[in-house]
Amino acid sequence: MGLSVSIGGAIVIFTISYMIMMFPSILDTTTSLTNTSSQRADLDNSILKSNIELITMNGASPSSSVSFGIQNTGSEKMWDYTKFNVIITYDGGVLTKATYTEYLTYDKNCSNNAGTWCVSTINNDLHDPNILNFGEILAAHTALSHPLFSGGLATILISTDNGATSEKTIIIS
């Protein structure tokens, strides 16, 4: 009987010691899950508050440049233009009968290289310079790889780093 009490006591002490040693890792895991859930909620909130509208788009034949205007209609500030996705699809003309689709990369310096887009100005950018706040309009310029065709269509699709998207189609003049 004394041996069984000793073995039982050893099992209880081992179990308690094991629980004490495991408690910090359980706490770390719980804290990590809580932080991840909080970050996810912040991201979801940011996505819900993000909205843009392509309000203008201009391009003329035989130029290979297109300008467009983006208005921030959401309450989230937008500033990381390198993470914006800008895709343009346009007609190549009667002779080629091709349709071109280009993924444009952001060019901070507006060097006018083919396949790039840049921010020309932000109207009324008095608060938070170079950040697109609610109601402000960003004027942008692109340089395409091929010239535009008069009478053809051009469609531009923009997606921000928060997932807000807008699309506009024009007939090239």
Side-chain angles (χ1 to χ4, degrees):
M1 175 137 171
L3 182 62
S4 64
V5 170
S6 296
I7 292 174
I11 291 172
V12 169
I13 289 173
F14 175 77
T15 304
I16 291 172
S17 299
Y18 183 75
M19 293 298 287
I20 289 171
M21 288 188 298
M22 290 302 297
F23 187 70
S25 72
I26 293 171
L27 213 63
D28 286 346
T29 304
T30 303
T31 304
S32 176
L33 286 172
T34 303
N35 288 341
T36 303
S37 295
S38 176
Q39 290 172 356
R40 175 61 192 210
D42 290 345
L43 179 62
D44 288 344
N45 189 34
S46 175
I47 290 170
L48 287 173
K49 291 180 179 180
S50 298
N51 199 22
I52 60 168
E53 183 178 347
L54 268 163
I55 56 172
T56 60
M57 181 177 168
N58 301 306
S61 175
S63 173
S64 62
S65 67
V66 175
S67 60
F68 56 93
I70 305 169
Q71 183 172 20
N72 184 351
T73 56
S75 60
E76 191 71 20
K77 297 177 181 186
M78 298 183 193
W79 54 270
D80 198 355
Y81 306 119
T82 58
K83 293 185 180 175
F84 280 33
N85 293 310
V86 179
I87 301 169
I88 187 163
T89 301
Y90 56 98
D91 294 332
V94 176
L95 297 177
T96 63
K97 295 184 181 179
T99 300
Y100 301 108
T101 299
E102 293 187 38
Y103 176 82
L104 305 173
T105 57
Y106 178 68
D107 179 8
K108 183 177 182 177
N109 300 320
C110 286
S111 58
N112 210 26
N113 292 329
T116 64
W117 74 280
C118 68
V119 175
S120 300
T121 61
I122 298 177
N123 294 354
N124 298 322
D125 194 23
L126 303 174
H127 181 67
D128 298 330
N130 299 319
I131 295 176
L132 187 61
N133 295 303
F134 171 76
E136 293 180 341
I137 298 171
L138 179 146
H141 174 77
T142 68
L144 304 174
S145 300
H146 305 280
L148 299 169
F149 167 66
S150 182
L153 294 176
T155 301
I156 192 164
L157 172 68
I158 298 177
S159 172
T160 68
D161 56 333
N162 292 348
T165 61
S166 187
E167 181 178 354
K168 191 164 193 75
T169 301
I170 62 167
I171 297 174
I172 304 300
S173 55

